[in-house]
Amino acid sequence: MPFVRALVMAPLGEQGPSLEERELSDRSELPDRLKRAFSLRRNLRLLFVPPGTHLRPLDGLRALSILWVVVFHAAWYASPFVPIPAYVALLESRWMVPVWRGDFGVDVFFVLSGFLIAGLLIDERERTGHLDLTRFYWRRLLRLWPALLLAAVLNVALIGDHSSMVWANLLYVSNFVPILQGAMGWTWSLAIEEQFYLVCPWLVGGLAGLGASARLRTLAAVIALLVTVGAVVVVSGGFFAIDSEIAINRDFFRWTLGFDHLYVKPWMRAGPLLIGVFAAYLFRVPSFMAALSRRRGLGTAGVVVAFGVAAASTHWPLVVGTPRVVEVTFLATSRTLFGIAVAYVLLLSLSQQPLGRMLGRFLSSRVLYPIGQLAYGAYLVNPIVCAVVHKWRSPLVWEGRASPMVAFMPLDIAGTFVAAAAIYLFVERPFMTLRPGPETASNLVVPAEVPAASHRPLDVQRWLFAGSVALAAVLAWFNRFIQDDAFISFRYARHLAAGHGLVWNVGEPPLQGFTNPLWTLAIALGIRFGRDPVRLSQGLGLACFVIGLVLAGKLAARLTKFRSLGIAVVLGLGLNASFNAHATGGLETQSQAMFVVVVAWCVFRGCTGPSARSSVGWFAGASLAGGLALWSRLDSALLVGPLLLAALAQARRERSVRLALAAALPVTVLGASLAAFGWFVFHNLLPNTFYAKASGGDGTTLRSGFSYLFSFLTNYQFMPLLALAVYPIYLGRDSLRCPPFLVRALMFVAVVWGAYIVAVGGDFMEYRLFVPVLPLVAVLGTWLLSSRGERLVWGFTAASVVGSALFYARFAHLPFVDEAGAVETVRGLDAHLTNHDQDWGEIGRGVRHALACDRDITIAVMAAGAIPYYSDLRTIDMLGLSDPVIAREGVILGNRPGHRRGASLPYLVSKQVNIVLHPWPRSDPDRFSLDYTRQGVANRYVPLSRGEELPKDASIIEIPIAKDRPLRALYLVRDAKVDQCIASGGWRVLPIRP
C-alpha cells in the first residue's frame, strides 16, 4: 500500500527550522509586522494592486462568483420581507432563473479553493521536501477566523436568531447542525472548506509519493467514490431532482430535508474541491498546458462544451420525469460536473491558447481584482446587510412603490462591499500580515507561459474618480423618483408602439405635445420590446447622468491640467441635490445634459488634437452629439451652438475645409431632419408645448425668471461663493487673459442660458432648467479658480457640497422651494405619484376600472400625466400641452411657468367632456363641500370660469377610486355610459346649488 504509507509519512518530511528559531525570528520582527499590518495606506494599496507572482484569473473568477452569490442572496433573503405574491412572482420569473442559480457560485469558490490550497501545498512539498502543518493551519486560521468572529458578533447584534448556536459556526461544524436550529446558515460553506483544509495536506502528502499519472488516477478514483456515496444518499433518502433546489416555492419540510442532506454535507459538496485539486496537478504538467495552448479549435469547442455542461448541471428541471437512474445520477454528479466545467475554463484562461488569452485578460481586469479580494468579507456580511436593508426598505414593496429587486438589490450590493472593504482593511489584511511565514498573498510558482501581473503603481486618483462617480450614481438611484410630466411622453410613446402614431388620443391627428422627440422615440422602442417605461426612463436617465459626470470630470482635469480637479467637479456636480435628483425623474433632462457635455468634450479634444486629421473625428462627434441634443430638446441650440462655433473657429484658424464640414454637417443634417419631422408629421416647426408655455404672459415673466434664478443661487448658497470667487479670480487674472476658445464658448453659453431661463420665466420643477448647463458651469468655474491652485477649487467644492446638504435638509420634506408655491421640490413632484393623499397613478387606474376603459368617454384634467396614461381614456389636457386650441387661445391663468393657459368651460363643453377631474388631496371628501354652488364648482374644476357657463344638468359625482378615498369629480356633459356606471356602481351624486 504505497499510497497509504506515503499518506502517513509524507506530511512530516524533512525537518525545517526549529520551533525556538522560528519564535525568535517572529518575535524580533513583530513590531514591524504590527506597524505594517495596520497601515491603512499599505492595506489599501494591497486591495488594488496584485502581487507580481499572482494568477490573476483566479481573482476574476472569484469576483464574478461573489457578485453572483450576492445577487442571489438579495433575492433569496427577501422572502420574509415581501408579500407572498411578489415573492412567488420572483420565483416564477424567467428573468430570475440565472439569479436563482447563484448558489452554484459557492461551487466556483470550492474549485478555486481546491486549486489554490492544493497548489500551495504541492509547491511547498516540491520546494522544501516537507509540509509544515502547524504553519499551514495557523495561516488558514488567521486568514479566516478573525473576520468570521466579527461577522458572528454583527449577526448576534443585528439579527440575533439562534445566537446560542454561534459556537458551531466558529468551530466550523455548522453544516452538521439542522438548518432550523443553527445560526448564520450561510456559513455552511466555510465549514466545508475548513474540513477540506484538514484533509488536503494529507492528501497532497500521500500523492507526493506517486507518479504524475498515478496521482491523477488516484484523485479520479476518490472523486468517483464520492459520487457513489452521493448516489447512495439520494437513493436511501428518497430524494428527487427538485430537492436539490433551495429557492423554490414548495413543501417546507421537504426543503429542510434537501438542505440538510443534499446541500450542506461534505460528502455531497466535496466534488468541486477535489476537482480543484485535480486542476492544480494538471496545471503543473507542462505537456498538458502546452497541448491545451496548441489546440485552438479544441480549446474553443471545450469552452462551448464547458458552458453547456455548467448550464445543464444547474438546471434540475431537465431530469424531471426521466427514469429514476437518470435523476439519481444527476443529483450525485451535477455539482461535480459543474466543477469540471469551471476548472476547464480556469485552466484555459491560464494557457496561451488564443481564446484562453482573451479570457485571461478579461478575468485579470483591474476592476475585478479588488472585488475578488473582498469576496470572503462580502460573503460573510452579505446576509446581515440584506436583513438590515430588507427590513428598512420593505415598506416600499408592501406599498407597491417598488419591486423587491429594485428596492433591495442596489443597497444590498453597495452595503455589502462597503462593509467588506472595511473588514478587509481593518481585519482581514492585518491578520494576513501577522501570519507566520512570508507575507506574499500567494506562493504559487507561475509557469513561464503564464505572464505575471505587472507592478504598476496604484493609480489612486483614478480609483477616487471612479468611486466619486459611483457614489453619485448610488445616491441618485437611492433618491430616484418619477414625475407626472414624464407620463405625457409615455402616453405618446405607448400609442406609437401600439401603431397609433404620435397622438395624444387614439384616432386624432398627430400632435407634438412633448418637447423631447428623441427621448419619446427611445421610450416607444422600449415599450415595443415589453419594457416598463418608468424603469426604462429611470435607467436611461441614470446612464446619461453617469456619462455626463465622467466627461465633465475628465474635461475639467484636462482643461486645468490638474487630475484631482476632475474628482472635485464630479463631487460638486454629482452631489448637488437637484442635479442628482433629476437623474431619474423620467424626463429627458439628463440626456440633454449628457449630449451637451459630449459636445464640449469632443470640441476640446478636437481643438487640442495633434493634427487636423485627428481633429476631424472629434469635431464630427461634437456635431453629431449636438444634433442629438437638438432632438432631445430644441432649446439645446443655445447650449451647443456656441461650442460648435468654437470648433468652426478652430477650423478657420487651420484653414481646413474638412474640419469645418465635420463640425457643421452632422448637426445641420440632424437639425434639418428635426424640422422635417415637425413639419411633415405635425405640420408645425415648433412643438405645441412652445405655444402653451411661452405665450400668454402678463408682463411678469421676467420677474418670475429672475426670481427663479435668484432662488437657485441663494438656496444653494452660491451667492456668497460667487462673491468670494471674485478676488482669487482677480489675482489670477494674468493667466486668464487669453483663455482657450472653449472657455470663451463656455462663458458665452452660461450667459446665454441664464438669459434664456429669465426670458421664459423659469420652470415649476425644482431647478430643472439649470441641469443641462450645470456641468459646463462647473467646468468653467473650476478653470477660473484653478489659476490660484488646487486647494482653492477643493475649498469651493466642499462649500458647494455643504450648500447642497443644507438645501436637502431644508427642503427634503417641503412641497415648494418658495413661499409663492411657484417651484415644486423634487419631493413635492414625487408626492403626486406616491403620497397616499394624492397618488395620481392610483386615480388613473381607478378611473380606468370604474369607467371600464371606455374610450368613448372623455375626461379632462389639469394634471395630464399619470392620470391619462393609466386611465387610457380620451383626455383633454386642460393646460394645453397636448391641445393646440388651448395652447394658443386658452384662458390666461397667470404666470406660473408651464401653467399659463387653461381651458374654458365652453371649450370643454364643445369637446363633449363628460368628467372633469380634480386630483388634489382627497383624504377628506367633505373638505370642499362648503361651496358646491355653481360658481364655486366652476372655479374649483375649471379656473377662471363662470357659474352660468355650467350646463344645467351638471353635477358632482364620487368615483370609487379606493374604499376610503372616493374622488369627487365634475360630471359636465351627460352620457348614457357614464349614467350606467353611476347606476351599476352605486356612485354618490351631489347636486350643484344655484
Side-chain angles (χ1 to χ4, degrees):
M1 299 290 288
F3 171 71
V4 176
R5 187 162 53 252
L7 179 65
V8 173
M9 299 299 296
L12 303 178
E14 302 174 6
Q15 295 299 315
S18 67
L19 179 61
E20 291 79 5
E21 291 173 342
R22 292 199 303 269
E23 287 181 349
L24 182 62
S25 175
D26 290 344
R27 195 180 302 118
S28 65
E29 65 178 27
L30 183 59
D32 290 336
R33 281 207 176 216
L34 284 173
K35 186 177 179 180
R36 290 196 303 271
F38 292 96
S39 170
L40 179 60
R41 184 172 183 177
R42 173 182 178 275
N43 294 342
L44 189 63
R45 182 176 294 275
L46 290 173
L47 175 59
F48 291 102
V49 180
T53 55
H54 196 73
L55 298 179
R56 295 271 294 276
L58 272 73
D59 296 297
L61 280 173
R62 188 181 292 115
L64 296 178
S65 302
I66 190 59
L67 290 172
W68 197 10
V69 171
V70 165
V71 172
F72 165 69
H73 280 169
W76 199 69
Y77 285 104
S79 59
F81 301 96
V82 300
I84 292 178
Y87 193 70
V88 171
L90 286 179
L91 289 171
E92 296 176 351
S93 171
R94 60 190 178 94
W95 301 106
M96 289 292 293
V97 170
V99 173
W100 293 126
R101 299 296 179 263
D103 61 301
F104 277 84
V106 176
D107 293 289
V108 180
F109 290 144
F110 286 165
V111 173
L112 297 178
S113 292
F115 182 86
L116 178 62
I117 298 304
L120 292 172
L121 293 170
I122 292 168
D123 292 341
E124 182 182 356
R125 173 73 187 187
E126 292 181 354
R127 187 174 61 252
T128 66
H130 75 284
L131 295 177
D132 188 339
L133 295 184
T134 302
R135 176 176 167 275
F136 171 78
Y137 288 127
W138 266 113
R139 287 178 65 84
R140 288 291 91 201
L141 188 65
L142 289 176
R143 171 68 181 90
L144 302 174
W145 203 77
L148 175 62
L149 178 61
L150 176 60
V153 172
L154 291 175
N155 181 76
V156 171
L158 299 176
I159 300 179
D161 292 343
H162 303 291
S163 299
S164 61
M165 295 298 295
V166 168
W167 62 268
N169 307 96
L170 297 178
L171 295 179
Y172 296 106
V173 294
S174 58
N175 58 330
F176 290 101
V177 177
I179 183 61
L180 298 181
Q181 300 175 19
M184 301 174 67
W186 63 95
T187 60
W188 63 268
S189 63
L190 306 182
I192 288 180
E193 289 212 34
E194 198 67 28
Q195 292 153 16
F196 167 73
Y197 298 154
L198 294 176
V199 176
C200 190
W202 301 89
L203 178 63
V204 171
L207 293 174
L210 304 179
S213 60
R215 292 171 186 169
L216 298 179
R217 288 197 302 270
T218 302
L219 272 176
V222 174
I223 294 170
L225 179 61
L226 278 176
V227 169
T228 304
V229 171
V232 172
V233 171
V234 171
V235 173
S236 61
F239 293 110
F240 297 92
I242 193 175
D243 294 315
S244 66
E245 174 64 83
I246 67 167
I248 194 167
N249 187 25
R250 59 190 173 92
D251 180 72
F252 188 67
F253 177 73
R254 292 291 303 178
W255 179 88
T256 58
L257 284 179
F259 191 94
D260 288 336
H261 292 85
L262 298 181
Y263 197 73
V264 301
K265 292 300 183 285
W267 45 85
M268 299 300 297
R269 302 302 294 264
L273 286 161
L274 292 177
I275 293 297
V277 176
F278 196 94
Y281 277 108
L282 283 177
F283 180 63
R284 286 159 178 79
V285 177
S287 59
F288 173 82
M289 296 302 294
L292 187 61
S293 300
R294 286 195 306 268
R295 300 181 180 180
R296 299 188 177 187
L298 182 60
T300 305
V303 169
V304 175
V305 172
F307 277 97
V309 169
S313 59
T314 62
H315 197 56
W316 59 266
L318 289 174
V319 297
V320 173
T322 60
R324 179 62 174 162
V325 65
V326 176
E327 199 168 19
V328 171
T329 302
F330 177 86
L331 286 174
T333 63
S334 59
R335 296 193 181 273
T336 301
L337 292 174
F338 181 83
I340 292 173
V342 172
Y344 178 82
V345 172
L346 173 61
L347 291 174
L348 186 67
S349 69
L350 296 172
S351 73
Q352 292 299 300
Q353 203 264 355
L355 181 60
R357 285 203 302 269
M358 292 176 57
L359 191 60
R361 283 196 295 269
F362 168 71
L363 293 175
S364 301
S365 166
R366 292 181 68 91
V367 176
L368 293 178
Y369 177 77
I371 299 175
Q373 293 298 293
L374 299 178
Y376 178 60
Y379 185 83
L380 282 175
V381 300
N382 176 235
I384 301 173
V385 171
C386 286
V388 174
V389 170
H390 295 180
K391 183 177 180 180
W392 170 40
R393 302 279 286 176
S394 59
L396 293 178
V397 181
W398 285 93
E399 294 169 7
R401 296 169 56 186
S403 67
M405 299 306 285
V406 171
F408 299 152
M409 188 175 295
L411 290 179
D412 285 344
I413 296 174
T416 293
F417 283 101
V418 168
I423 291 175
Y424 179 89
L425 295 173
F426 299 108
V427 179
E428 284 187 73
R429 176 50 65 178
F431 278 96
M432 290 169 67
T433 304
L434 295 174
R435 293 182 299 177
E439 294 183 42
T440 54
S442 171
N443 289 329
L444 284 174
V445 177
V446 182
E449 64 269 15
V450 181
S454 60
H455 284 281
R456 287 189 295 175
L458 174 64
D459 192 343
V460 176
Q461 291 191 358
R462 174 184 293 181
W463 284 102
L464 289 176
F465 184 88
S468 301
V469 174
L471 174 64
V474 169
L475 184 64
W477 185 253
F478 178 75
N479 289 323
R480 66 189 179 279
F481 79 108
I482 194 73
Q483 51 198 0
D484 186 66
D485 278 39
F487 288 89
I488 298 175
S489 296
F490 297 168
R491 180 172 167 112
Y492 281 101
R494 184 174 63 186
H495 287 162
L496 178 62
H500 302 302
L502 286 168
V503 298
W504 176 245
N505 293 312
V506 175
E508 293 183 353
L511 177 70
Q512 192 174 356
F514 49 87
T515 57
N516 47 12
L518 182 62
W519 186 258
T520 302
L521 294 175
I523 298 298
L525 184 63
I527 293 175
R528 186 70 179 84
F529 285 96
R531 295 293 179 264
D532 174 36
V534 173
R535 293 287 174 257
L536 176 62
S537 65
Q538 289 179 327
L540 290 175
L542 188 63
C544 294
F545 170 78
V546 169
I547 295 172
L549 274 185
V550 170
L551 291 182
K554 286 184 172 293
L555 179 59
R558 294 230 181 185
L559 197 60
T560 62
K561 298 181 174 59
F562 292 114
R563 288 183 64 197
S564 67
L565 297 189
I567 304 172
V569 166
V570 169
L571 289 175
L573 191 62
L575 299 184
N576 179 275
S578 299
F579 187 85
N580 187 281
H582 283 294
T584 58
L587 289 175
E588 76 294 339
T589 312
Q590 283 293 347
S591 70
Q592 182 188 20
M594 179 200 69
F595 285 126
V596 171
V597 177
V598 170
V599 172
W601 170 253
C602 291
V603 169
F604 171 78
R605 294 300 303 271
C607 290
T608 57
S611 63
R613 177 176 297 180
S614 64
S615 299
V616 168
W618 288 112
F619 281 178
S623 186
L624 178 63
L628 294 175
L630 294 178
W631 273 82
S632 293
R633 277 182 68 96
L634 190 57
D635 55 10
S636 299
L638 300 176
L639 295 166
V640 302
L643 299 174
L644 293 176
L645 287 176
L648 289 173
Q650 177 73 10
R652 182 181 178 183
R653 284 196 304 274
E654 297 190 11
R655 299 179 179 180
S656 173
V657 177
R658 291 181 61 194
L659 281 180
L661 287 175
L665 189 58
V667 70
T668 302
V669 171
L670 286 173
S673 65
L674 178 62
F677 174 75
W679 183 258
F680 291 106
V681 177
F682 307 109
H683 306 294
N684 205 316
L685 293 177
L686 297 174
N688 189 69
T689 53
F690 168 80
Y691 302 99
K693 293 182 177 182
S695 61
D698 59 358
T700 60
T701 300
L702 293 180
R703 189 193 313 165
S704 175
F706 276 116
S707 175
Y708 184 75
L709 177 62
F710 184 77
S711 172
F712 175 74
L713 295 177
T714 53
N715 282 328
Y716 275 108
Q717 315 303 318
F718 285 149
M719 292 294 283
L721 290 180
L722 290 174
L724 291 173
V726 171
Y727 184 64
I729 292 174
Y730 173 76
L731 292 179
R733 63 189 182 279
D734 291 338
S735 61
L736 304 179
R737 285 179 177 172
C738 297
F741 270 91
L742 179 62
V743 172
R744 299 180 190 179
L746 293 180
M747 294 176 179
F748 188 73
V749 166
V751 173
V752 169
W753 192 257
Y756 168 72
I757 290 175
V758 172
V760 299
D763 189 35
F764 73 94
M765 304 179 199
E766 181 190 304
Y767 306 134
R768 185 172 73 99
L769 286 184
F770 290 99
V771 170
V773 78
L774 275 180
L776 304 187
V777 171
V779 171
L780 175 62
T782 301
W783 184 82
L784 292 172
L785 292 170
S786 65
S787 62
R788 303 301 297 171
E790 295 177 83
R791 291 186 178 181
L792 182 64
V793 178
W794 276 105
F796 274 80
T797 300
S800 173
V801 172
V802 170
S804 180
L806 293 174
F807 175 86
Y808 186 83
R810 180 182 177 186
F811 296 106
H813 302 290
L814 296 179
F816 300 100
V817 299
D818 57 346
E819 296 181 359
V823 181
E824 296 186 62
T825 64
V826 166
R827 292 309 118 200
L829 295 169
D830 183 51
H832 295 322
L833 294 166
T834 59
N835 187 279
H836 180 74
D837 208 26
Q838 299 181 53
D839 201 345
W840 295 348
E842 183 191 48
I843 290 177
R845 289 184 289 268
V847 169
R848 174 189 175 96
H849 180 265
L851 297 176
C853 193
D854 192 331
R855 287 181 175 169
D856 290 334
I857 297 174
T858 302
I859 65 172
V861 64
M862 297 185 74
I867 294 176
Y869 178 82
Y870 286 114
S871 68
D872 202 21
L873 298 171
R874 182 174 180 268
T875 304
I876 300 299
D877 177 2
M878 294 174 62
L879 293 178
L881 298 181
S882 295
D883 191 292
V885 176
I886 299 175
R888 293 165 175 81
E889 304 172 9
V891 177
I892 305 299
L893 298 178
N895 206 51
R896 190 186 184 203
H899 299 80
R900 290 175 177 162
R901 288 191 181 272
S904 65
L905 257 178
Y907 179 73
L908 296 182
V909 173
S910 68
K911 299 294 288 185
Q912 294 295 299
V913 172
N914 305 117
I915 298 174
V916 181
L917 302 177
H918 192 298
W920 274 266
R922 52 199 169 89
S923 58
D924 180 7
D926 293 324
R927 67 168 65 183
F928 300 110
S929 61
L930 298 176
D931 192 16
Y932 276 158
T933 62
R934 296 181 68 82
Q935 185 59 47
V937 168
N939 281 335
R940 171 170 171 74
Y941 287 94
V942 188
L944 301 183
S945 59
R946 300 190 304 273
E948 58 267 21
E949 295 173 337
L950 278 174
K952 294 182 179 180
D953 55 354
S955 60
I956 301 296
I957 57 176
E958 285 190 352
I959 303 177
I961 303 299
K963 292 182 179 179
D964 59 331
R965 294 178 298 161
L967 176 67
R968 290 192 174 180
L970 171 61
Y971 187 11
L972 187 64
V973 176
R974 300 188 68 87
D975 182 86
K977 294 181 179 179
V978 178
D979 291 338
Q980 183 179 357
C981 292
I982 294 173
S984 61
W987 299 2
R988 186 182 177 191
V989 180
L990 303 176
I992 300 176
R993 300 190 302 272

